[in-house]
Amino acid sequence: MGIWKWSFLGLLCAVFLFTIGAVELGRNQPTERISGSAGDVLEDDPVGRLKVFVYELPSKYNKKILQKDPRCLTHMFAAEIFMHRFLLSSPVRTLNPEEADWFYTPVYTTCDLTPSGLPLPFKSPRMMRSAIQLISSNWPYWNRTEGADHFFVVPHDFGACFHYQEEKAIERGILPLLQRATLVQTFGQRNHVCLKEGSITIPPYAPPQKMHTHLIPDQTPRSIFVYFRGLFYDVGNDPEGGYYARGARAAVWENFKDNPLFDISTEHPTTYYEDMQRAVFCLCPLGWAPWSPRLVEAVVFGCIPVIIADDIVLPFADAIPWEEIGVFVDEEDVPKLDTILTSIPPEVILRKQRLLANPSMKQAMLFPQPAQPGDAFHQVLNGLARKLPHDRSVFLKPGEKILNWTTGPVGDLKPW
């Protein structure tokens, strides 16, 4: 315990002397950027590089669902709503489908919420299937490629597998009708059936304006070494323990609940955002899925994300230098977390903080209203632009069919 304390004090002295602190977008802060593919791609401008046609669907697929439950605007899956709104007024939108590079179908599949605000994905496959039937019947463009030049935003826990439990999601697999489409989703894990090749992994939605109102003064010292607020056990869904977060969160609690370097709790205080801005490291462990809004919050508030989720595919990984700004800890190494973090040299910590202070890094993680250059909307478009031009092989021959409309769970085939 004594060694921890002395290591901690020495580390904090260095961090306090040079700390960057909490950073507001656009402030005049000492920053650092990575030149080359990662940093440059972050600042790409997608306008002029692609055109998107937005299908006009009956409001029952989007606007009426939102009117029924406005809570969908603030939950972590709200990217599907804000992406739709952005594209309607984006300069990349075309009203002429004949000149479109991509086709977008606005379906709000995560806006069916329980009283406690959790999305129920059980109707989502039928809803998505219904929308695809509609566009394939009323426009010729789906049938030319069976969706290979279409993209869909599917921000649920396990994307287009449409289930919140991993075992069930794996059993279901990606909705068969989406097998050729490009999926824009928060879920990302290598070698997983719910992440198909060519998908674009995005950050979950975190409310930019709400975070902005909780900013604290620039030079506030980072007096918390490690910070985390959230569940360690999910007794309701995993009463025996060990399955939730593959035991990683439980290991954090069991090993470090009494460690003075770790400010961890299940309580979610009103000062949560302020506390993150006072922390050096913010834990971002997996839960039921490998991702959570903590990743966005950590980057925006300049707190070095400690990513505990084996094989995670992070948002915009081709643009954001995650290895440079974060710390990756294998799930099996959680009991050594204190040693791992206290062993990081102060100069490495300071460089990560300088990179996190770069406004473009923060902007790329947010879906602001209105849109701003380099934000998450633009990173999605950049990802789509980099997939162009479409290979001629995606266009089917007359009469050719690849997708099977009658495959999948029986319940998914029922009318929506």
Side-chain angles (χ1 to χ4, degrees):
M1 189 73 74
I3 295 175
W4 286 344
K5 288 182 178 178
W6 284 114
S7 299
F8 178 47
L9 288 173
L11 178 63
L12 284 186
C13 284
V15 174
F16 288 166
L17 285 172
F18 302 102
T19 186
I20 290 171
V23 181
E24 178 180 355
L25 298 181
R27 290 187 187 183
N28 185 21
Q29 291 289 329
T31 67
E32 185 170 337
R33 75 181 294 276
I34 292 182
S35 60
S37 60
D40 294 337
V41 167
L42 262 184
E43 298 172 8
D44 280 354
D45 184 356
V47 176
R49 296 166 55 212
L50 77 167
K51 293 183 178 181
V52 177
F53 179 76
V54 180
Y55 286 113
E56 292 188 19
L57 301 186
S59 59
K60 69 176 184 177
Y61 291 98
N62 39 64
K63 294 178 183 177
K64 279 191 176 179
I65 298 174
L66 179 58
Q67 289 172 357
K68 180 181 176 182
D69 198 335
R71 292 179 299 169
C72 298
L73 282 169
T74 56
H75 68 33
M76 69 182 78
F77 308 107
E80 62 183 359
I81 298 170
F82 291 111
M83 194 71 202
H84 181 202
R85 292 183 174 182
F86 164 73
L87 285 170
L88 289 177
S89 58
S90 170
V92 306
R93 183 188 182 190
T94 178
L95 300 179
N96 178 8
E98 293 295 334
E99 66 176 16
D101 300 297
W102 288 99
F103 296 82
Y104 167 65
T105 308
V107 187
Y108 299 170
T109 57
T110 65
C111 195
D112 182 12
L113 305 183
T114 65
S116 61
L118 299 175
L120 292 171
F122 308 119
K123 297 178 184 177
S124 302
R126 292 160 49 205
M127 182 182 182
M128 185 68 79
R129 181 183 172 85
S130 172
I132 294 173
Q133 286 176 324
L134 181 69
I135 63 173
S136 65
S137 300
N138 290 275
W139 290 272
Y141 308 105
W142 172 274
N143 299 317
R144 296 187 312 185
T145 66
E146 289 196 322
D149 54 355
H150 288 55
F151 70 93
F152 295 81
V153 181
V154 282
H156 202 266
D157 286 349
F158 291 95
C161 287
F162 294 124
H163 207 286
Y164 60 87
Q165 293 179 337
E166 185 172 19
E167 285 185 352
K168 298 285 182 63
I170 291 173
E171 181 182 328
R172 288 185 51 83
I174 292 173
L175 187 71
L177 293 185
L178 294 177
Q179 291 290 347
R180 288 173 58 80
T182 289
L183 302 181
V184 178
Q185 60 185 65
T186 45
F187 174 75
Q189 183 173 319
R190 288 186 292 274
N191 305 314
H192 199 286
V193 299
C194 298
L195 180 68
K196 65 189 290 286
E197 185 178 356
S199 297
I200 297 173
T201 309
I202 62 172
Y205 178 78
Q209 292 174 333
K210 180 180 178 182
M211 288 192 287
H212 181 83
T213 62
H214 287 268
L215 288 170
I216 61 178
D218 277 0
Q219 301 304 325
T220 302
R222 291 189 177 268
S223 55
I224 302 169
F225 189 55
V226 180
Y227 187 75
F228 176 79
R229 290 295 184 272
L231 290 177
F232 297 99
Y233 304 90
D234 189 344
V235 177
N237 293 298
D238 182 26
E240 297 181 4
Y243 183 69
Y244 176 62
R246 296 197 284 260
R249 292 197 187 198
V252 170
W253 179 250
E254 295 300 331
N255 285 278
F256 305 112
K257 60 186 175 184
D258 298 320
N259 188 317
L261 303 186
F262 285 69
D263 187 347
I264 59 176
S265 173
T266 57
E267 297 178 1
H268 203 288
T270 56
T271 56
Y272 174 69
Y273 285 155
E274 289 83 357
D275 292 344
M276 293 188 86
Q277 295 169 78
R278 296 186 180 98
V280 178
F281 295 104
C282 289
L283 300 185
C284 301
L286 73 163
W288 285 111
W291 59 270
S292 82
R294 289 179 191 83
L295 196 64
V296 178
E297 295 159 350
V299 171
V300 169
F301 291 132
C303 185
I304 298 170
V306 180
I307 299 159
I308 308 170
D310 294 353
D311 296 323
I312 188 172
V313 176
L314 290 160
F316 309 132
D318 56 348
I320 296 177
W322 289 105
E323 294 286 348
E324 301 285 344
I325 65 175
V327 175
F328 290 80
V329 177
D330 291 343
E331 294 165 24
E332 66 178 10
D333 290 336
V334 166
K336 298 184 286 187
L337 197 53
D338 54 341
T339 303
I340 292 170
L341 296 180
T342 55
S343 299
I344 300 175
E347 60 269 21
V348 174
I349 290 176
L350 293 170
R351 182 166 191 266
K352 290 181 184 294
Q353 290 180 324
R354 287 194 296 269
L355 288 168
L356 284 168
N358 187 333
S360 65
M361 211 75 70
K362 303 171 186 298
Q363 194 76 283
M365 297 293 284
L366 296 172
F367 296 92
Q369 304 292 307
Q372 299 175 21
D375 61 17
F377 298 117
H378 287 85
Q379 300 310 324
V380 172
L381 296 183
N382 283 336
L384 292 169
R386 286 193 287 275
K387 293 165 73 70
L388 296 174
H390 297 295
D391 191 279
R392 294 303 305 172
S393 64
V394 306
F395 294 92
L396 304 180
K397 299 174 183 177
E400 183 182 5
K401 299 290 183 183
I402 295 177
L403 299 178
N404 186 344
W405 285 73
T406 60
T407 191
V410 175
D412 292 359
L413 306 181
K414 296 179 181 178
W416 177 70

